[in-house]
């Protein structure tokens, strides 16, 4: 059963809202957990597979399990995913919001691969309705999709568009009989928080569970341009568990 018309509309709106709704180099990385080592140990094997701008072009990737990452434009998706796959330059990063305009598929692991990570266009003021329609179609029809990760900025907290997207994803999980994926939040840029950072994180966690009771406990992360990222091992473990690679 496909999502209701109201829920499809809610996801589409999240990809294109008025700004007034907003509140707000090459090389490998070494920080790889022992349990996820088998999947992410060889950063050089991670590779770009396809960029998809319309639903007719969604690729068949040999039945590999997939996870997709969504979030408000400029929430740090590309930086996070570069850290997760152990590369600094696999995904293009930019301070300009809205640079990702397609569903981008990346294979992880030596050929033929262990899993696929999908980077989606950002939603919010810089989003577009057609991006929301493509994302919603992907969620409804992708049989190998195992988990949807939604990124929330620690610095901005839960925005109106974050809440709308999170609520819509939660509704899909509860309403679709043949749903194959789970939902988890990732809190990004925690290094930007000051002395009251713990209180801010607690508030974001409360907001997440208020809006989406089906959401798995959030992972707290940071991927500073200089310094050591944290939370990346937990994201790798979550991906591996969701894809059935680790018990």
């Amino acid at each position: 059963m496909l999502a209701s018309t109201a829920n499809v509309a809610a996801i589409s709106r999240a990809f294109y809202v008025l700004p007034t709704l907003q509140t707000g180099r090459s090389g490998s990385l070494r920080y790889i957990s022992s349990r996820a080592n088998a999947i992410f140990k060889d950063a050089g094997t991670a590779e770009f597979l396809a960029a998809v701008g319309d639903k007719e072009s969604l690729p068949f990737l040999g039945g590999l399990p997939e996870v997709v990452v969504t979030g408000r434009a400029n929430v740090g998706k590309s930086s996070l995913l570069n850290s997760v796959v152990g590369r600094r330059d696999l995904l293009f990063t930019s301070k300009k919001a809205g640079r990702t305009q397609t569903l981008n598929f990346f294979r992880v692991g030596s050929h033929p691969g262990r899993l696929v990570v999908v980077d989606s266009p950002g939603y919010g003021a810089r989003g577009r309705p057609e991006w929301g329609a493509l994302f919603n179609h992907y969620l409804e029809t992708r049989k190998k999709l195992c988990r949807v990760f939604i990124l929330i900025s620690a610095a901005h907290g839960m925005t109106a568009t974050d809440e709308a997207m999170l609520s819509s994803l939660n509704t899909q999980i509860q309403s679709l009989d043949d749903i194959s994926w789970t939902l988890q939040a990732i809190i990004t840029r925690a290094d930007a928080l000051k002395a009251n950072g713990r209180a801010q994180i607690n508030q974001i966690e409360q907001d997440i569970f208020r809006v989406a009771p089906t959401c798995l406990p959030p992972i707290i992360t940071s991927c500073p341009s200089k310094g050591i990222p944290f939370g990346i091992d937990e994201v790798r473990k979550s991906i591996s568990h969701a894809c059935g690679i680790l018990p």
Side-chain angles (χ1 to χ4, degrees), residues 5-226:
T5 301
N7 195 54
V8 171
I11 287 183
S12 296
R13 285 196 299 271
F15 277 85
Y16 187 67
V17 298
L18 294 176
T20 52
L21 290 179
Q22 300 297 309
T23 59
R25 304 173 301 213
S26 174
S28 298
L29 302 176
R30 297 181 179 179
Y31 311 104
I32 301 176
S33 71
S34 57
R35 296 197 65 194
N37 188 50
I39 297 93
F40 296 96
K41 66 178 180 180
D42 189 356
T45 63
E47 64 175 326
F48 169 77
L49 296 177
V52 175
D54 59 83
K55 61 184 181 181
E56 289 77 17
S57 301
L58 286 170
F60 174 73
L61 300 174
L64 292 175
E66 298 179 12
V67 299
V68 65
V69 178
T70 187
R72 188 171 53 85
N74 211 27
V75 74
K77 290 188 287 88
S78 297
S79 296
L80 175 76
L81 292 179
N82 276 332
S83 293
V84 167
V85 301
R87 297 274 287 278
R88 298 187 186 275
D89 59 348
L90 186 61
L91 285 79
F92 180 77
T93 59
S94 173
K95 293 183 179 180
K96 182 179 179 180
R99 290 301 297 265
T100 302
Q101 301 184 7
T102 54
L103 287 176
N104 297 321
F105 293 74
F106 300 88
R107 183 173 61 199
V108 176
S110 301
H111 186 79
R114 302 296 301 278
L115 58 90
V116 173
V117 175
V118 184
D119 183 22
S120 68
Y123 55 76
R126 298 298 181 93
R128 297 178 184 175
E130 58 267 30
W131 297 349
L134 174 62
F135 181 71
N136 192 69
H137 176 79
Y138 172 82
L139 295 184
E140 291 179 344
T141 62
R142 202 67 172 176
K143 299 302 182 183
K144 289 299 181 179
L145 178 59
C146 299
R147 183 160 296 171
V148 176
F149 291 97
I150 181 169
L151 274 53
I152 308 292
S153 169
H156 295 93
M158 179 87 74
T159 68
T161 46
D162 290 329
E163 184 166 336
M165 176 60 78
L166 190 57
S167 176
S168 296
L169 294 171
N170 180 72
T171 298
Q172 285 207 29
I173 290 177
Q174 293 182 325
S175 63
L176 299 185
D177 296 331
D178 58 348
I179 196 74
S180 61
W181 46 268
T182 52
L183 174 64
Q184 187 165 28
I186 296 176
I187 299 174
T188 64
R189 296 176 174 169
D191 58 302
L193 298 178
K194 305 303 181 183
N196 63 338
R198 183 65 259 180
Q200 290 177 261
I201 293 293
N202 288 342
Q203 184 61 58
I204 294 172
E205 291 175 334
Q206 292 174 23
D207 290 340
I208 289 170
F209 293 126
R210 171 181 56 83
V211 174
T214 62
C215 189
L216 295 169
I219 302 171
I220 303 170
T221 67
S222 174
C223 302
S225 57
K226 295 181 180 180

